[in-house]
PDB file of all heavy atoms in Angstrom:
ATOM      1  N   GLY A 309      69.356  91.636 118.053  1.00 92.00           N
ATOM      2  CA  GLY A 309      69.853  92.691 117.181  1.00 92.00           C
ATOM      3  C   GLY A 309      69.376  92.649 115.745  1.00 92.00           C
ATOM      4  O   GLY A 309      69.780  93.478 114.938  1.00 92.00           O
ATOM      5  N   SER A 310      68.512  91.698 115.401  1.00 93.00           N
ATOM      6  CA  SER A 310      68.011  91.665 114.021  1.00 93.00           C
ATOM      7  C   SER A 310      66.481  91.653 114.025  1.00 93.00           C
ATOM      8  O   SER A 310      65.843  91.161 114.950  1.00 93.00           O
ATOM      9  CB  SER A 310      68.555  90.445 113.265  1.00 93.00           C
ATOM     10  OG  SER A 310      68.086  89.260 113.849  1.00 93.00           O
ATOM     11  N   LEU A 311      65.925  92.199 112.967  1.00 94.00           N
ATOM     12  CA  LEU A 311      64.481  92.313 112.840  1.00 94.00           C
ATOM     13  C   LEU A 311      63.885  91.000 112.337  1.00 94.00           C
ATOM     14  O   LEU A 311      64.299  90.474 111.305  1.00 94.00           O
ATOM     15  CB  LEU A 311      64.123  93.434 111.865  1.00 94.00           C
ATOM     16  CG  LEU A 311      62.640  93.670 111.616  1.00 94.00           C
ATOM     17  CD1 LEU A 311      61.966  94.195 112.881  1.00 94.00           C
ATOM     18  CD2 LEU A 311      62.441  94.639 110.467  1.00 94.00           C
ATOM     19  N   VAL A 312      62.955  90.460 113.100  1.00 96.00           N
ATOM     20  CA  VAL A 312      62.180  89.288 112.676  1.00 96.00           C
ATOM     21  C   VAL A 312      60.711  89.628 112.868  1.00 96.00           C
ATOM     22  O   VAL A 312      60.365  90.645 113.493  1.00 96.00           O
ATOM     23  CB  VAL A 312      62.563  88.011 113.465  1.00 96.00           C
ATOM     24  CG1 VAL A 312      63.987  87.602 113.192  1.00 96.00           C
ATOM     25  CG2 VAL A 312      62.308  88.168 114.937  1.00 96.00           C
ATOM     26  N   PHE A 313      59.854  88.785 112.344  1.00 96.00           N
ATOM     27  CA  PHE A 313      58.420  89.003 112.464  1.00 96.00           C
ATOM     28  C   PHE A 313      57.812  87.843 113.229  1.00 96.00           C
ATOM     29  O   PHE A 313      57.971  86.684 112.828  1.00 96.00           O
ATOM     30  CB  PHE A 313      57.793  89.151 111.079  1.00 96.00           C
ATOM     31  CG  PHE A 313      58.326  90.354 110.359  1.00 96.00           C
ATOM     32  CD1 PHE A 313      59.457  90.254 109.570  1.00 96.00           C
ATOM     33  CD2 PHE A 313      57.728  91.590 110.522  1.00 96.00           C
ATOM     34  CE1 PHE A 313      59.971  91.371 108.937  1.00 96.00           C
ATOM     35  CE2 PHE A 313      58.237  92.705 109.898  1.00 96.00           C
ATOM     36  CZ  PHE A 313      59.362  92.606 109.109  1.00 96.00           C
ATOM     37  N   GLN A 314      57.169  88.155 114.354  1.00 97.00           N
ATOM     38  CA  GLN A 314      56.572  87.125 115.188  1.00 97.00           C
ATOM     39  C   GLN A 314      55.158  86.833 114.699  1.00 97.00           C
ATOM     40  O   GLN A 314      54.306  87.722 114.689  1.00 97.00           O
ATOM     41  CB  GLN A 314      56.537  87.547 116.643  1.00 97.00           C
ATOM     42  CG  GLN A 314      56.004  86.457 117.557  1.00 97.00           C
ATOM     43  CD  GLN A 314      55.981  86.900 118.991  1.00 97.00           C
ATOM     44  OE1 GLN A 314      55.220  87.779 119.358  1.00 97.00           O
ATOM     45  NE2 GLN A 314      56.836  86.294 119.803  1.00 97.00           N
ATOM     46  N   GLU A 315      54.929  85.599 114.312  1.00 97.00           N
ATOM     47  CA  GLU A 315      53.604  85.147 113.876  1.00 97.00           C
ATOM     48  C   GLU A 315      52.953  84.421 115.036  1.00 97.00           C
ATOM     49  O   GLU A 315      53.527  83.485 115.589  1.00 97.00           O
ATOM     50  CB  GLU A 315      53.753  84.203 112.687  1.00 97.00           C
ATOM     51  CG  GLU A 315      52.471  83.548 112.263  1.00 97.00           C
ATOM     52  CD  GLU A 315      52.685  82.472 111.225  1.00 97.00           C
ATOM     53  OE1 GLU A 315      53.527  82.655 110.334  1.00 97.00           O
ATOM     54  OE2 GLU A 315      52.010  81.438 111.307  1.00 97.00           O
ATOM     55  N   SER A 316      51.766  84.845 115.426  1.00 98.00           N
ATOM     56  CA  SER A 316      50.995  84.188 116.475  1.00 98.00           C
ATOM     57  C   SER A 316      49.745  83.617 115.835  1.00 98.00           C
ATOM     58  O   SER A 316      48.887  84.363 115.363  1.00 98.00           O
ATOM     59  CB  SER A 316      50.604  85.188 117.573  1.00 98.00           C
ATOM     60  OG  SER A 316      51.751  85.777 118.148  1.00 98.00           O
ATOM     61  N   ALA A 317      49.657  82.284 115.798  1.00 97.00           N
ATOM     62  CA  ALA A 317      48.510  81.609 115.184  1.00 97.00           C
ATOM     63  C   ALA A 317      47.573  81.139 116.282  1.00 97.00           C
ATOM     64  O   ALA A 317      47.968  80.351 117.158  1.00 97.00           O
ATOM     65  CB  ALA A 317      48.994  80.427 114.346  1.00 97.00           C
ATOM     66  N   TYR A 318      46.337  81.612 116.255  1.00 96.00           N
ATOM     67  CA  TYR A 318      45.353  81.332 117.289  1.00 96.00           C
ATOM     68  C   TYR A 318      44.419  80.208 116.847  1.00 96.00           C
ATOM     69  O   TYR A 318      43.771  80.315 115.809  1.00 96.00           O
ATOM     70  CB  TYR A 318      44.507  82.574 117.572  1.00 96.00           C
ATOM     71  CG  TYR A 318      45.269  83.713 118.188  1.00 96.00           C
ATOM     72  CD1 TYR A 318      46.090  84.530 117.409  1.00 96.00           C
ATOM     73  CD2 TYR A 318      45.192  83.980 119.545  1.00 96.00           C
ATOM     74  CE1 TYR A 318      46.797  85.583 117.961  1.00 96.00           C
ATOM     75  CE2 TYR A 318      45.893  85.027 120.114  1.00 96.00           C
ATOM     76  CZ  TYR A 318      46.691  85.817 119.310  1.00 96.00           C
ATOM     77  OH  TYR A 318      47.400  86.852 119.876  1.00 96.00           O
ATOM     78  N   THR A 319      44.346  79.149 117.660  1.00 94.00           N
ATOM     79  CA  THR A 319      43.329  78.118 117.471  1.00 94.00           C
ATOM     80  C   THR A 319      42.262  78.350 118.534  1.00 94.00           C
ATOM     81  O   THR A 319      42.319  79.352 119.256  1.00 94.00           O
ATOM     82  CB  THR A 319      43.929  76.707 117.627  1.00 94.00           C
ATOM     83  OG1 THR A 319      44.360  76.515 118.965  1.00 94.00           O
ATOM     84  CG2 THR A 319      45.078  76.473 116.661  1.00 94.00           C
ATOM     85  N   ALA A 320      41.326  77.446 118.676  1.00 90.00           N
ATOM     86  CA  ALA A 320      40.260  77.621 119.665  1.00 90.00           C
ATOM     87  C   ALA A 320      40.808  77.692 121.087  1.00 90.00           C
ATOM     88  O   ALA A 320      40.303  78.444 121.921  1.00 90.00           O
ATOM     89  CB  ALA A 320      39.246  76.500 119.546  1.00 90.00           C
ATOM     90  N   THR A 321      41.875  76.931 121.380  1.00 93.00           N
ATOM     91  CA  THR A 321      42.368  76.859 122.757  1.00 93.00           C
ATOM     92  C   THR A 321      43.857  77.164 122.923  1.00 93.00           C
ATOM     93  O   THR A 321      44.332  77.217 124.042  1.00 93.00           O
ATOM     94  CB  THR A 321      42.121  75.450 123.334  1.00 93.00           C
ATOM     95  OG1 THR A 321      42.791  74.486 122.489  1.00 93.00           O
ATOM     96  CG2 THR A 321      40.637  75.130 123.396  1.00 93.00           C
ATOM     97  N   GLN A 322      44.592  77.365 121.835  1.00 95.00           N
ATOM     98  CA  GLN A 322      46.043  77.556 121.937  1.00 95.00           C
ATOM     99  C   GLN A 322      46.516  78.667 121.014  1.00 95.00           C
ATOM    100  O   GLN A 322      45.823  79.049 120.070  1.00 95.00           O
ATOM    101  CB  GLN A 322      46.780  76.271 121.543  1.00 95.00           C
ATOM    102  CG  GLN A 322      46.519  75.100 122.466  1.00 95.00           C
ATOM    103  CD  GLN A 322      47.218  73.851 121.945  1.00 95.00           C
ATOM    104  OE1 GLN A 322      46.983  73.439 120.810  1.00 95.00           O
ATOM    105  NE2 GLN A 322      48.070  73.271 122.761  1.00 95.00           N
ATOM    106  N   VAL A 323      47.721  79.152 121.322  1.00 97.00           N
ATOM    107  CA  VAL A 323      48.396  80.126 120.455  1.00 97.00           C
ATOM    108  C   VAL A 323      49.789  79.583 120.153  1.00 97.00           C
ATOM    109  O   VAL A 323      50.516  79.190 121.049  1.00 97.00           O
ATOM    110  CB  VAL A 323      48.514  81.511 121.142  1.00 97.00           C
ATOM    111  CG1 VAL A 323      49.207  82.493 120.220  1.00 97.00           C
ATOM    112  CG2 VAL A 323      47.153  82.030 121.560  1.00 97.00           C
ATOM    113  N   PHE A 324      50.137  79.552 118.866  1.00 97.00           N
ATOM    114  CA  PHE A 324      51.447  79.060 118.440  1.00 97.00           C
ATOM    115  C   PHE A 324      52.251  80.228 117.872  1.00 97.00           C
ATOM    116  O   PHE A 324      51.728  81.005 117.074  1.00 97.00           O
ATOM    117  CB  PHE A 324      51.286  77.976 117.362  1.00 97.00           C
ATOM    118  CG  PHE A 324      50.546  76.763 117.859  1.00 97.00           C
ATOM    119  CD1 PHE A 324      49.181  76.647 117.649  1.00 97.00           C
ATOM    120  CD2 PHE A 324      51.215  75.766 118.544  1.00 97.00           C
ATOM    121  CE1 PHE A 324      48.483  75.534 118.111  1.00 97.00           C
ATOM    122  CE2 PHE A 324      50.534  74.644 119.008  1.00 97.00           C
ATOM    123  CZ  PHE A 324      49.161  74.532 118.800  1.00 97.00           C
ATOM    124  N   HIS A 325      53.518  80.355 118.288  1.00 97.00           N
ATOM    125  CA  HIS A 325      54.364  81.463 117.874  1.00 97.00           C
ATOM    126  C   HIS A 325      55.500  80.959 116.983  1.00 97.00           C
ATOM    127  O   HIS A 325      56.100  79.915 117.258  1.00 97.00           O
ATOM    128  CB  HIS A 325      54.969  82.167 119.092  1.00 97.00           C
ATOM    129  CG  HIS A 325      53.937  82.719 120.025  1.00 97.00           C
ATOM    130  ND1 HIS A 325      53.250  83.886 119.793  1.00 97.00           N
ATOM    131  CD2 HIS A 325      53.463  82.247 121.195  1.00 97.00           C
ATOM    132  CE1 HIS A 325      52.413  84.110 120.775  1.00 97.00           C
ATOM    133  NE2 HIS A 325      52.522  83.120 121.646  1.00 97.00           N
ATOM    134  N   HIS A 326      55.773  81.721 115.922  1.00 97.00           N
ATOM    135  CA  HIS A 326      56.894  81.431 115.016  1.00 97.00           C
ATOM    136  C   HIS A 326      57.555  82.762 114.652  1.00 97.00           C
ATOM    137  O   HIS A 326      56.856  83.743 114.388  1.00 97.00           O
ATOM    138  CB  HIS A 326      56.417  80.762 113.719  1.00 97.00           C
ATOM    139  CG  HIS A 326      55.713  79.477 113.934  1.00 97.00           C
ATOM    140  ND1 HIS A 326      56.354  78.294 114.176  1.00 97.00           N
ATOM    141  CD2 HIS A 326      54.383  79.190 113.946  1.00 97.00           C
ATOM    142  CE1 HIS A 326      55.470  77.328 114.331  1.00 97.00           C
ATOM    143  NE2 HIS A 326      54.260  77.856 114.202  1.00 97.00           N
ATOM    144  N   ASN A 327      58.868  82.789 114.645  1.00 97.00           N
ATOM    145  CA  ASN A 327      59.612  83.966 114.188  1.00 97.00           C
ATOM    146  C   ASN A 327      60.060  83.715 112.754  1.00 97.00           C
ATOM    147  O   ASN A 327      60.596  82.668 112.431  1.00 97.00           O
ATOM    148  CB  ASN A 327      60.826  84.225 115.084  1.00 97.00           C
ATOM    149  CG  ASN A 327      60.403  84.630 116.480  1.00 97.00           C
ATOM    150  OD1 ASN A 327      59.393  85.305 116.656  1.00 97.00           O
ATOM    151  ND2 ASN A 327      61.157  84.219 117.475  1.00 97.00           N
ATOM    152  N   ARG A 328      59.821  84.712 111.892  1.00 96.00           N
ATOM    153  CA  ARG A 328      60.127  84.559 110.471  1.00 96.00           C
ATOM    154  C   ARG A 328      60.883  85.775 109.948  1.00 96.00           C
ATOM    155  O   ARG A 328      60.677  86.887 110.411  1.00 96.00           O
ATOM    156  CB  ARG A 328      58.841  84.403 109.665  1.00 96.00           C
ATOM    157  CG  ARG A 328      57.996  83.203 110.082  1.00 96.00           C
ATOM    158  CD  ARG A 328      56.807  83.027 109.179  1.00 96.00           C
ATOM    159  NE  ARG A 328      55.920  81.988 109.656  1.00 96.00           N
ATOM    160  CZ  ARG A 328      56.102  80.685 109.479  1.00 96.00           C
ATOM    161  NH1 ARG A 328      57.169  80.264 108.845  1.00 96.00           N
ATOM    162  NH2 ARG A 328      55.234  79.819 109.940  1.00 96.00           N
ATOM    163  N   SER A 329      61.716  85.546 108.937  1.00 94.00           N
ATOM    164  CA  SER A 329      62.369  86.657 108.241  1.00 94.00           C
ATOM    165  C   SER A 329      61.334  87.316 107.325  1.00 94.00           C
ATOM    166  O   SER A 329      60.244  86.777 107.109  1.00 94.00           O
ATOM    167  CB  SER A 329      63.544  86.142 107.405  1.00 94.00           C
ATOM    168  OG  SER A 329      63.052  85.368 106.327  1.00 94.00           O
ATOM    169  N   ALA A 330      61.674  88.466 106.752  1.00 92.00           N
ATOM    170  CA  ALA A 330      60.739  89.157 105.862  1.00 92.00           C
ATOM    171  C   ALA A 330      60.377  88.293 104.663  1.00 92.00           C
ATOM    172  O   ALA A 330      59.207  88.213 104.274  1.00 92.00           O
ATOM    173  CB  ALA A 330      61.332  90.489 105.411  1.00 92.00           C
ATOM    174  N   GLY A 331      61.356  87.632 104.071  1.00 92.00           N
ATOM    175  CA  GLY A 331      61.093  86.774 102.914  1.00 92.00           C
ATOM    176  C   GLY A 331      60.192  85.600 103.249  1.00 92.00           C
ATOM    177  O   GLY A 331      59.254  85.271 102.515  1.00 92.00           O
ATOM    178  N   GLU A 332      60.470  84.962 104.387  1.00 95.00           N
ATOM    179  CA  GLU A 332      59.629  83.844 104.832  1.00 95.00           C
ATOM    180  C   GLU A 332      58.208  84.324 105.135  1.00 95.00           C
ATOM    181  O   GLU A 332      57.233  83.630 104.828  1.00 95.00           O
ATOM    182  CB  GLU A 332      60.204  83.203 106.094  1.00 95.00           C
ATOM    183  CG  GLU A 332      61.500  82.491 105.913  1.00 95.00           C
ATOM    184  CD  GLU A 332      62.144  82.081 107.225  1.00 95.00           C
ATOM    185  OE1 GLU A 332      61.849  82.678 108.280  1.00 95.00           O
ATOM    186  OE2 GLU A 332      62.945  81.133 107.194  1.00 95.00           O
ATOM    187  N   LEU A 333      58.100  85.508 105.716  1.00 94.00           N
ATOM    188  CA  LEU A 333      56.792  86.053 106.073  1.00 94.00           C
ATOM    189  C   LEU A 333      55.943  86.305 104.825  1.00 94.00           C
ATOM    190  O   LEU A 333      54.764  85.936 104.789  1.00 94.00           O
ATOM    191  CB  LEU A 333      56.960  87.348 106.859  1.00 94.00           C
ATOM    192  CG  LEU A 333      55.651  88.034 107.259  1.00 94.00           C
ATOM    193  CD1 LEU A 333      54.878  87.160 108.229  1.00 94.00           C
ATOM    194  CD2 LEU A 333      55.929  89.385 107.858  1.00 94.00           C
ATOM    195  N   ILE A 334      56.535  86.889 103.811  1.00 93.00           N
ATOM    196  CA  ILE A 334      55.788  87.170 102.581  1.00 93.00           C
ATOM    197  C   ILE A 334      55.286  85.871 101.953  1.00 93.00           C
ATOM    198  O   ILE A 334      54.123  85.769 101.552  1.00 93.00           O
ATOM    199  CB  ILE A 334      56.651  87.980 101.597  1.00 93.00           C
ATOM    200  CG1 ILE A 334      56.874  89.391 102.155  1.00 93.00           C
ATOM    201  CG2 ILE A 334      56.009  88.034 100.220  1.00 93.00           C
ATOM    202  CD1 ILE A 334      57.916  90.191 101.434  1.00 93.00           C
ATOM    203  N   GLU A 335      56.141  84.841 101.904  1.00 94.00           N
ATOM    204  CA  GLU A 335      55.724  83.540 101.377  1.00 94.00           C
ATOM    205  C   GLU A 335      54.584  82.951 102.186  1.00 94.00           C
ATOM    206  O   GLU A 335      53.600  82.442 101.645  1.00 94.00           O
ATOM    207  CB  GLU A 335      56.894  82.549 101.401  1.00 94.00           C
ATOM    208  CG  GLU A 335      57.794  82.614 100.215  1.00 94.00           C
ATOM    209  CD  GLU A 335      58.846  81.520 100.258  1.00 94.00           C
ATOM    210  OE1 GLU A 335      58.520  80.375 100.664  1.00 94.00           O
ATOM    211  OE2 GLU A 335      59.993  81.816  99.908  1.00 94.00           O
ATOM    212  N   ARG A 336      54.698  83.045 103.512  1.00 95.00           N
ATOM    213  CA  ARG A 336      53.677  82.491 104.416  1.00 95.00           C
ATOM    214  C   ARG A 336      52.337  83.217 104.241  1.00 95.00           C
ATOM    215  O   ARG A 336      51.288  82.580 104.174  1.00 95.00           O
ATOM    216  CB  ARG A 336      54.167  82.600 105.852  1.00 95.00           C
ATOM    217  CG  ARG A 336      53.167  82.233 106.905  1.00 95.00           C
ATOM    218  CD  ARG A 336      52.983  80.748 107.035  1.00 95.00           C
ATOM    219  NE  ARG A 336      52.131  80.500 108.186  1.00 95.00           N
ATOM    220  CZ  ARG A 336      51.266  79.522 108.244  1.00 95.00           C
ATOM    221  NH1 ARG A 336      51.162  78.670 107.268  1.00 95.00           N
ATOM    222  NH2 ARG A 336      50.514  79.353 109.315  1.00 95.00           N
ATOM    223  N   ILE A 337      52.364  84.532 104.162  1.00 94.00           N
ATOM    224  CA  ILE A 337      51.118  85.287 103.995  1.00 94.00           C
ATOM    225  C   ILE A 337      50.452  84.933 102.671  1.00 94.00           C
ATOM    226  O   ILE A 337      49.232  84.704 102.629  1.00 94.00           O
ATOM    227  CB  ILE A 337      51.386  86.804 104.089  1.00 94.00           C
ATOM    228  CG1 ILE A 337      51.752  87.179 105.525  1.00 94.00           C
ATOM    229  CG2 ILE A 337      50.174  87.595 103.622  1.00 94.00           C
ATOM    230  CD1 ILE A 337      52.213  88.609 105.697  1.00 94.00           C
ATOM    231  N   CYS A 338      51.211  84.851 101.605  1.00 92.00           N
ATOM    232  CA  CYS A 338      50.638  84.472 100.302  1.00 92.00           C
ATOM    233  C   CYS A 338      50.015  83.082 100.371  1.00 92.00           C
ATOM    234  O   CYS A 338      48.911  82.858  99.855  1.00 92.00           O
ATOM    235  CB  CYS A 338      51.702  84.524  99.223  1.00 92.00           C
ATOM    236  SG  CYS A 338      52.235  86.210  98.832  1.00 92.00           S
ATOM    237  N   GLN A 339      50.684  82.158 101.035  1.00 94.00           N
ATOM    238  CA  GLN A 339      50.186  80.790 101.164  1.00 94.00           C
ATOM    239  C   GLN A 339      48.869  80.745 101.931  1.00 94.00           C
ATOM    240  O   GLN A 339      47.899  80.150 101.466  1.00 94.00           O
ATOM    241  CB  GLN A 339      51.230  79.909 101.857  1.00 94.00           C
ATOM    242  CG  GLN A 339      50.734  78.514 102.166  1.00 94.00           C
ATOM    243  CD  GLN A 339      51.634  77.773 103.133  1.00 94.00           C
ATOM    244  OE1 GLN A 339      52.605  78.326 103.650  1.00 94.00           O
ATOM    245  NE2 GLN A 339      51.311  76.529 103.392  1.00 94.00           N
ATOM    246  N   VAL A 340      48.820  81.368 103.108  1.00 94.00           N
ATOM    247  CA  VAL A 340      47.597  81.270 103.929  1.00 94.00           C
ATOM    248  C   VAL A 340      46.432  82.050 103.313  1.00 94.00           C
ATOM    249  O   VAL A 340      45.282  81.641 103.445  1.00 94.00           O
ATOM    250  CB  VAL A 340      47.820  81.684 105.404  1.00 94.00           C
ATOM    251  CG1 VAL A 340      48.817  80.769 106.075  1.00 94.00           C
ATOM    252  CG2 VAL A 340      48.185  83.120 105.562  1.00 94.00           C
ATOM    253  N   MET A 341      46.720  83.137 102.613  1.00 93.00           N
ATOM    254  CA  MET A 341      45.635  83.885 101.973  1.00 93.00           C
ATOM    255  C   MET A 341      45.073  83.120 100.767  1.00 93.00           C
ATOM    256  O   MET A 341      43.893  83.199 100.479  1.00 93.00           O
ATOM    257  CB  MET A 341      46.096  85.272 101.562  1.00 93.00           C
ATOM    258  CG  MET A 341      46.314  86.227 102.722  1.00 93.00           C
ATOM    259  SD  MET A 341      44.873  86.488 103.767  1.00 93.00           S
ATOM    260  CE  MET A 341      43.776  87.346 102.636  1.00 93.00           C
TER     261      MET A 341
END
Side-chain angles (χ1 to χ4, degrees):
S310 64
L311 180 67
V312 296
F313 297 90
Q314 184 180 68
E315 173 188 321
S316 301
Y318 294 78
T319 65
T321 58
Q322 296 176 303
V323 180
F324 298 95
H325 301 282
H326 301 281
N327 293 325
R328 301 185 187 280
S329 69
E332 292 170 337
L333 179 65
I334 291 168
E335 275 185 40
R336 173 76 173 145
I337 290 172
C338 291
Q339 174 194 4
V340 298
M341 288 302 293

